[in-house]
């Protein structure tokens, strides 16, 4: 009998269920009547506190198109994994105990950056792990694509599309703030797909004068409106030079805006007198059903993971490499971010058609 644990960890995204379905269907076929899947509730929390349930084949039916996660999820920061909980519980030891008590052959982890770090920690502690690349941010090192990303691009692009018509009617500047604190993949793809005039990413610190100048140029050309796609983690050139501590102090001392989009909006109004509106689609970007691309990708990733388990090949994250699937050692993935290279072809192409990135 194969005993496989499964959990979804960190911020949710579309296609978590589709991916679990792929793993489960692959396992049920590889080991007919000889596999038990144990689902942990709310990510690593369930593994720590022994909160789990025995899954049945019917649990994985009818969930290909369902957003969210049937197992629930939670954020259990990696940096706190070695810190005992409020009752003095050693979380890593507790996770190992749950795994051993349930006599698991392996644990399947669906997660983003922090979750992959914890997966690697558990691998180092001797647990058999197979992980899958989840996040709308597409920032996992070692994979060309994460599941959830394309669905989020669809939602964010749709938000920009909707803004387009109202922006055109009123002749205003609209700022659409897109998720991504550290990386700008989602903003870049949605910005280009939605026809944004200015795209601001965490990887390319912006100069507000350059942004204002781009807006003025558009006005001169008779354009009635402008759309700016801003990543939540976009940062000015000035602020990028500060240390984390200095930045925190600056924010405390100065005017505090709800987010960077509002700060940029206020600066634009002050310098140009133009009317500015801010739209924040927020968690809508992680919600709703997965797009067809993500359903197909999730199914493939899940099936590949089930094959790794059948072959007892553990310690890997399943990844997309050059349009094919591959396994990447967890120790190579953990702790690294896949950021947007400001010199990448896509940025050059976007600049070639006149999109401003706030740098020059
Ligand atoms: O990691 C995915 C993500 O949606 C980021 O893009 C965003 O910055 C963050 O999660 C939001 O986290 P939370 O759901 O905890 O507010």
């Amino acid at each position: 009998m194969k005993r496989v644990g499964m959990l979804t960890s960190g911020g949710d995204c579309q296609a978590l269920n589709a991916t679990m379905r792929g793993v489960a269907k692959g396992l049920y076929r590889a080991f007919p009547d000889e596999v038990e899947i144990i689902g942990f509730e709310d990510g690593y929390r369930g593994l720590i506190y022994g909160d789990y349930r025995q899954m049945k084949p019917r649990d994985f039916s009818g969930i290909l198109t369902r957003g969210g996660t049937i197992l629930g999820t939670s954020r259990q920061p990696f940096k706190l994994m070695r810190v005992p909980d409020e009752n003095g519980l050693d979380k890593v030891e507790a996770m190992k105990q749950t795994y051993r008590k349930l006599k698991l052959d392996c644990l399947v982890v669906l997660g983003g950056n922090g979750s992959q770090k914890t997966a690697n920690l558990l691998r180092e502690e001797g647990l058999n792990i197979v992980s899958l690349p989840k996040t709308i941010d597409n920032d996992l090192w070692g994979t060309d694509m994460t599941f959830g990303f394309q669905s989020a691009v669809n939602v964010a692009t749709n938000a920009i599309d909707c803004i387009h018509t109202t922006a055109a009617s009123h002749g205003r500047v609209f700022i659409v703030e897109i998720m991504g604190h550290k990386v700008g993949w989602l903003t870049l793809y949605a910005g280009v797909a939605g026809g944004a005039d200015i795209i601001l990413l965490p990887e390319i610190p912006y100069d507000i004068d350059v942004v204002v100048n781009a807006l003025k140029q558009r006005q001169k050309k008779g354009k009635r409106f402008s759309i700016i796609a801003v990543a939540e983690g976009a940062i000015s050139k000035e602020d990028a030079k500060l240390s984390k501590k200095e930045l925190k102090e600056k924010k405390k001392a100065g005017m505090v805006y709800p987010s960077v989009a509002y700060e940029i909006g206020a600066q634009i109004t002050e310098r140009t007198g133009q009317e500015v509106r801010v739209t924040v689609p927020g968690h809508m970007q992680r919600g709703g059903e997965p797009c067809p691309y993500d359903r197909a990708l999730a199914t493939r990733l899940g099936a590949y993971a089930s094959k790794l388990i059948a072959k007892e090949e553990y310690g890997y994250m399943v990844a997309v490499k050059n349009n094919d699937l591959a396994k990447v050692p967890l120790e190579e993935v953990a702790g690294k971010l896949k950021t947007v290279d400001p010199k990448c072809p896509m940025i050059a192409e976007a600049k070639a058609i006149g999109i401003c990135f706030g740098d020059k």
Side-chain angles (χ1 to χ4, degrees):
M1 181 61 73
K2 266 265 183 249
R3 294 177 61 78
V4 177
M6 202 180 273
L7 61 84
T8 55
S9 166
D12 77 339
C13 73
Q14 303 91 339
L16 276 163
N17 292 327
T19 308
M20 287 193 276
R21 170 183 174 270
V23 180
K25 283 190 183 276
L27 286 174
Y28 289 136
R29 266 184 81 84
F31 306 98
D33 301 323
E34 278 175 36
V35 62
E36 277 183 2
I37 300 178
I38 287 108
F40 292 98
E41 312 269 351
D42 300 338
Y44 288 113
R45 191 195 64 72
L47 186 62
I48 296 170
Y49 298 103
D51 202 356
Y52 55 84
R53 64 181 195 264
Q54 185 87 37
M55 308 296 284
K56 293 280 172 238
R58 65 170 176 275
D59 292 318
F60 298 102
S61 279
I63 60 169
L64 176 63
T65 61
R66 199 191 300 172
T69 159
I70 55 168
L71 289 179
T73 186
S74 65
R75 291 198 185 275
Q76 302 288 330
F78 172 76
K79 60 178 182 206
L80 297 181
M81 277 299 174
R82 292 279 186 199
V83 179
D85 78 355
E86 59 280 12
N87 299 315
L89 181 82
D90 181 329
K91 295 174 205 152
V92 177
E93 233 10 81
M95 288 192 280
K96 284 160 64 181
Q97 269 177 30
T98 307
Y99 180 96
R100 295 209 178 103
K101 192 182 95 190
L102 291 169
K103 298 193 171 43
L104 296 181
D105 292 293
C106 78
L107 176 70
V108 177
V109 174
L110 288 76
N113 273 300
S115 311
Q116 300 291 343
K117 282 201 260 183
T118 300
N120 187 49
L121 183 153
L122 293 175
R123 179 197 64 79
E124 287 167 349
E125 291 287 328
L127 271 51
N128 295 328
I129 308 285
V130 170
S131 73
L132 289 142
K134 167 238 73 168
T135 167
I136 64 162
D137 295 332
N138 195 29
D139 60 352
L140 265 175
W141 192 93
T143 186
D144 297 343
M145 185 63 65
T146 57
F147 65 84
F149 175 65
Q150 293 291 344
S151 303
V153 169
N154 285 5
V155 178
T157 303
N158 189 250
I160 301 176
D161 288 349
C162 292
I163 290 301
H164 249 106
T165 55
T166 176
S169 312
H170 287 271
R172 291 166 171 161
V173 173
F174 267 89
I175 304 181
V176 184
E177 187 176 281
I178 296 171
M179 275 186 163
H181 267 301
K182 291 183 184 153
V183 300
W185 291 111
L186 188 53
T187 309
L188 176 61
Y189 273 80
V192 170
D197 307 297
I198 299 171
I199 298 178
L200 304 179
L201 310 177
E203 292 90 340
I204 307 179
Y206 66 85
D207 179 338
I208 194 68
D209 291 332
V210 173
V211 174
V212 165
N213 189 41
L215 293 171
K216 286 184 178 161
Q217 291 303 321
R218 279 183 58 79
Q219 261 191 329
K220 253 196 211 159
K221 284 185 200 150
K223 307 276 188 190
R224 269 172 57 78
F225 70 94
S226 294
I227 294 183
I228 311 180
V230 179
E232 337 170 75
I235 186 163
S236 68
K237 280 192 171 165
E238 212 184 356
D239 285 352
K241 288 186 196 136
L242 302 176
S243 66
K244 256 189 185 173
K245 198 175 155 213
E246 286 169 331
L247 194 57
K248 229 178 171 182
E249 273 160 17
K250 181 180 165 185
K251 288 209 166 139
K252 242 198 235 162
M255 161 107 82
V256 183
Y257 294 95
S259 68
V260 65
Y262 289 91
E263 183 176 354
I264 293 171
Q267 286 170 327
I268 291 171
T269 304
E270 190 190 300
R271 287 164 196 236
T272 67
Q274 279 187 276
E275 218 181 326
V276 179
R277 293 288 186 272
V278 174
T279 298
V280 185
H283 288 77
M284 276 176 69
Q285 292 163 96
R286 295 210 313 235
E289 61 182 30
C291 66
Y293 178 95
D294 268 338
R295 294 178 205 176
L297 175 65
T299 304
R300 292 187 63 199
L301 291 167
Y304 192 101
S306 73
K307 282 192 184 163
L308 288 184
I309 296 166
K311 288 186 280 184
E312 300 188 354
E313 287 191 53
Y314 300 125
Y316 294 103
M317 180 183 83
V318 186
V320 180
K321 288 267 187 197
N322 306 320
N323 260 337
D324 211 346
L325 299 191
K327 55 184 203 288
V328 188
L330 262 173
E331 66 262 40
E332 282 181 26
V333 175
K336 290 186 208 151
L337 261 192
K338 184 183 72 187
T339 55
V340 177
D341 177 0
K343 293 197 175 80
C344 71
M346 185 161 174
I347 304 257
E349 289 141 12
K351 284 185 174 174
I353 65 152
I355 297 175
C356 169
F357 282 82
D359 50 344
K360 48 179 132 55

